[in-house]
Amino acid sequence: MKKQKKQLLYPYFLIVPTLVSCIIFKFYPFLKTILSSFSVTDQFGAWIGWAGTTFWEMMFADDAFWQTLVTTLKYALITFVGTFVIAMILAMLSTKHTKLGKVSQMLYALPIAIAHSTSSVIFLFVFKGEGGLLNSWLGTDIAWLTKADTAFWAVAVVTVWTHISGSFLYLLAGFRGVSEDILEAAIVDGANSFTRAVKIMIPMASPQIFYVLFLNIISALGVFTQVKLLTGGGPSGATTSLMYEIYLRAVKFGEYEYACCVSIVTFLIIFVFTRIQFAFEKKMVYYQ
Amino acid sequence: MKIKAMMFDIFKVLIGIAMVSPVIIALIVSFMPKADIMTSPFELTLVHATFQNYIEAFKYLNLGIYLKNTAVMLIICLPAQLLTALLAAYAFSHFEFPFKEALFTILLAVMMIPGETIMVTVFKMISGWKLIDTYAALTITSLTNVGAVFMFRQYMKSLPKELWEAATMDGCGYNAYFGYILVPLCKTMIVTFSLRTFVTIYNSYFWPFLVTTKDSMRTVTTGVALISSTSHSGLTLAAAITTSVIPLIVYAFGMDKIVEGMTAGAVKS
């Protein structure tokens, strides 16, 4: 009897560590973030009293918030397009096994191992105004990281650069997975390489393609490290992303409740994209 | 025709070199003496190549301490994630029990909450518990990995049912089955997961940055970022290159396995 009871509980013991950790560090903070956005809290985030929609109204009336939102969506759009186009070209180039193929493939994949913070530190040296590499090569004297438009593009370029390798590897796996038989049959039928790419390779690698597209959008919506290290969100908030705004409000300015509102907006945006991804996956993607 | 193919091959390598050029530039600058880096206009040259930056990086910066802190994070989080994920996957793939579906749905829902969006609340909790600048703060939030639970569960479900039936019929206990049969069968996936998670933890920045304020608690990524604001470029880039060597080696040796794992986890049929 005792043994049977122990056996009954056995699977629960196996799940307990994961479940407890999820409840403490995922569910509870998630609910608390929502609650706190409608509350007043002390310096440790403990609940003091209700604030109603004060902080939400404050956020929606704040031009800085809208600017941050637009900037982040622009980052996501640029990362989405830029990374995809470049990774697609690289993956197409690498599909066939060639003599030096391993070398070029290794080079395309290398940046994936470099931390975003390290890439930012390296690009800082390229972009910085005084003694920076770009200025010395172009013979210019431009403060790339402190002018609104160039600073924005600097962050975008680094974000794209850090995302290319991962996307490349996914896409390459997708293209390599297309069966040789189908491709040979297409060649026999007289399909040229362009037709093969558009009519066979891309449709058959569509699971990987969709995955990469959404992975990049969702990842770019959470951009923080590059902003923190390259521009510090400046000049006057021109490069601030949602994540950086959350950090500034909660940690630097002690406006935790406001940060919670921005967090929930970020969550909702990412959630919408995730739902679209699922819907697309179910409907359009070709699975073998 | 052959020459054309060869040219194309070389062209592809050239594109690759262009792609990694920031790293190559960083590598060159890290070997340049301070005087050469400071000259204006700046010139990328190795005529005065020196190890000075690397020597100074280890002597005057706390690179060793940063590496130790990152190592502590890895030693605690990686095995913890692996073990908890394998155990949970075992439960969801091999047992029937009340509320199984409900519990599984809860974990599914967790995957829908991006870590970043609850980061500040978790940060407030950690600072409320007075854990800032401790190893507990660095590790406690990454002891489990729900994505890995799904990955391992998927694989365990694909194993032949007969194996489980035969083993339990012969009196093999649940623990013994897990330790002697299941885990060895998952070996390839475990290696893949470990390689990838190693780099993910090693390269993580946001969370270690939030919960550490003392230099002695900085990890590799947060430490190097800190160096960049106070030191000259040669020193900074020497530190950046030094700390990138470890994840680069992991990728160089495990590339095929990592790619396999990435795609297996990403696209489910």
Side-chain angles (χ1 to χ4, degrees):
Chain A
M1 186 63 205
K2 206 176 172 193
K3 190 166 181 235
Q4 211 179 10
K5 199 167 181 191
K6 206 178 145 198
Q7 283 198 345
L8 228 63
L9 287 175
Y10 188 78
Y12 296 103
F13 284 125
L14 299 175
I15 304 170
V16 160
T18 301
L19 203 62
V20 168
S21 158
C22 282
I23 289 168
I24 300 178
F25 295 113
K26 287 278 192 176
F27 273 113
Y28 171 68
F30 182 65
L31 296 176
K32 191 165 184 298
T33 306
I34 297 174
L35 178 78
S36 301
S37 74
F38 295 104
S39 315
V40 181
T41 63
D42 72 3
Q43 56 162 327
F44 294 120
W47 195 81
I48 294 176
W50 290 107
T53 52
T54 316
F55 292 105
W56 284 93
E57 282 162 31
M58 213 164 103
M59 181 183 76
F60 285 127
D62 194 346
D63 286 339
F65 163 73
W66 292 106
Q67 186 189 7
T68 305
L69 184 65
V70 170
T71 307
T72 309
L73 291 174
K74 269 160 69 186
Y75 283 139
L77 181 72
I78 292 166
T79 313
F80 165 77
V81 176
T83 310
F84 181 70
V85 170
I86 297 171
M88 198 73 172
I89 293 170
L90 296 180
M92 285 268 185
L93 283 176
S94 308
T95 306
K96 256 200 230 154
H97 293 273
T98 55
K99 241 184 194 155
L100 291 173
K102 265 255 177 277
V103 179
S104 50
Q105 196 186 320
M106 209 66 180
L107 290 171
Y108 301 157
L110 183 138
I112 201 180
I114 311 243
H116 286 197
S117 55
T118 309
S119 330
S120 304
V121 167
I122 292 173
F123 274 98
L124 196 60
F125 174 71
V126 175
F127 287 127
K128 71 178 177 178
E130 213 173 304
L133 191 71
L134 202 55
N135 272 340
S136 81
W137 277 0
L138 297 176
T140 49
D141 197 16
I142 301 168
W144 301 99
L145 295 174
T146 47
K147 274 178 58 191
D149 51 342
T150 52
F152 171 81
W153 279 100
V155 174
V157 163
V158 178
T159 310
V160 169
W161 190 77
T162 51
H163 282 77
I164 291 172
S165 298
S167 308
F168 161 74
L169 289 172
Y170 281 117
L171 292 173
L172 184 63
F175 291 148
R176 289 252 170 96
V178 176
S179 101
E180 290 286 328
D181 297 347
I182 298 175
L183 287 177
E184 268 164 34
I187 294 171
V188 172
D189 287 346
N192 61 23
S193 57
F194 180 76
T195 319
R196 290 204 301 274
V198 175
K199 293 265 164 87
I200 300 174
M201 307 268 281
I202 292 178
M204 289 196 77
S206 57
Q208 282 82 5
I209 291 173
F210 272 94
Y211 184 75
V212 161
L213 284 175
F214 283 95
L215 182 80
N216 287 332
I217 296 179
I218 292 165
S219 169
L221 287 172
V223 62
F224 171 82
T225 310
Q226 293 91 305
V227 178
K228 166 82 178 67
L229 294 175
L230 284 173
T231 64
S236 51
T239 57
T240 302
S241 65
L242 287 169
M243 283 317 299
Y244 192 68
E245 176 78 355
I246 293 169
Y247 156 76
L248 281 182
R249 295 284 180 170
V251 180
K252 288 272 170 209
F253 305 154
E255 297 173 25
Y256 169 62
E257 303 88 346
Y258 187 103
C260 286
C261 297
V262 184
S263 292
I264 292 163
V265 171
T266 312
F267 167 78
L268 288 175
I269 295 171
I270 294 177
F271 186 76
V272 167
F273 278 110
T274 322
R275 294 320 300 182
I276 298 173
Q277 178 186 13
F278 283 178
F280 262 113
E281 254 180 22
K282 274 214 178 101
K283 255 194 171 164
M284 295 188 44
V285 175
Y286 168 87
Y287 283 112
Q288 228 165 349
Chain B
M1 192 61 204
K2 235 186 178 165
I3 292 173
K4 210 176 146 194
M6 197 65 209
M7 293 285 278
F8 186 58
D9 239 15
I10 293 170
F11 169 69
K12 286 197 308 191
V13 174
L14 288 178
I15 293 179
I17 291 172
M19 172 133 175
V20 300
S21 58
V23 182
I24 298 172
I25 290 166
L27 192 64
I28 295 172
V29 176
S30 72
F31 284 107
M32 285 169 63
K34 198 176 169 187
D36 273 11
I37 299 171
M38 294 298 191
T39 40
S40 179
F42 173 81
E43 234 179 287
L44 209 56
T45 161
L46 277 175
V47 282
H48 304 112
T50 163
F51 276 105
Q52 197 56 37
N53 291 325
Y54 286 88
I55 295 167
E56 277 181 35
F58 272 97
K59 233 185 190 165
Y60 302 119
L61 307 172
N62 295 328
L63 265 192
I65 292 173
Y66 303 154
L67 280 165
K68 190 193 85 188
N69 292 336
T70 296
V72 170
M73 245 171 101
L74 284 165
I75 289 166
I76 295 175
C77 295
L78 191 54
Q81 285 189 22
L82 204 53
L83 183 67
T84 54
L86 282 167
L87 288 175
Y90 182 34
F92 284 119
S93 60
H94 283 73
F95 294 92
E96 289 303 327
F97 49 92
F99 305 115
K100 181 178 168 181
E101 292 307 313
L103 290 168
F104 196 67
T105 312
I106 289 179
L107 290 191
L108 254 177
V110 164
M111 299 252 284
M112 300 296 289
I113 306 173
E116 297 104 323
T117 59
I118 51 169
M119 204 82 107
V120 285
T121 300
V122 181
F123 166 73
K124 285 281 172 189
M125 285 160 60
I126 296 289
S127 50
W129 296 340
K130 304 273 185 293
L131 287 178
I132 297 296
D133 282 325
T134 62
Y135 286 125
L138 282 174
T139 54
I140 201 166
T141 54
S142 335
L143 296 176
T144 57
N145 185 330
V146 180
V149 174
F150 282 86
M151 195 182 78
F152 286 125
R153 169 186 165 269
Q154 203 76 8
Y155 179 71
M156 287 177 187
K157 275 178 81 170
S158 73
L159 296 173
K161 269 248 166 314
E162 292 77 18
L163 200 68
W164 168 244
E165 280 159 11
T168 42
M169 201 96 79
D170 287 344
C172 176
Y174 293 158
N175 289 330
Y177 184 81
F178 179 77
Y180 292 113
I181 299 174
L182 201 56
V183 169
L185 279 172
C186 294
K187 211 170 76 190
T188 320
M189 285 200 98
I190 290 172
V191 172
T192 310
F193 171 80
S194 303
L195 288 171
R196 201 149 68 99
T197 310
F198 180 97
V199 178
T200 308
I201 296 174
Y202 187 97
N203 282 351
S204 62
Y205 176 81
F206 195 7
W207 183 249
F209 164 75
L210 274 184
V211 297
T212 55
T213 56
K214 277 193 266 171
D215 197 41
S216 62
M217 284 307 293
R218 295 277 180 199
T219 60
V220 163
T221 47
T222 51
V224 171
L226 202 70
I227 290 171
S228 76
S229 57
T230 52
S231 312
H232 72 85
S233 302
L235 207 56
T236 306
L237 293 175
I241 294 287
T242 310
T243 53
S244 297
V245 167
I246 294 171
L248 276 173
I249 290 175
V250 173
Y251 261 90
F253 283 102
M255 183 63 91
D256 293 340
K257 282 207 180 320
I258 293 171
V259 173
E260 227 172 81
M262 270 166 71
T263 45
V267 183
K268 42 222 171 263
S269 42

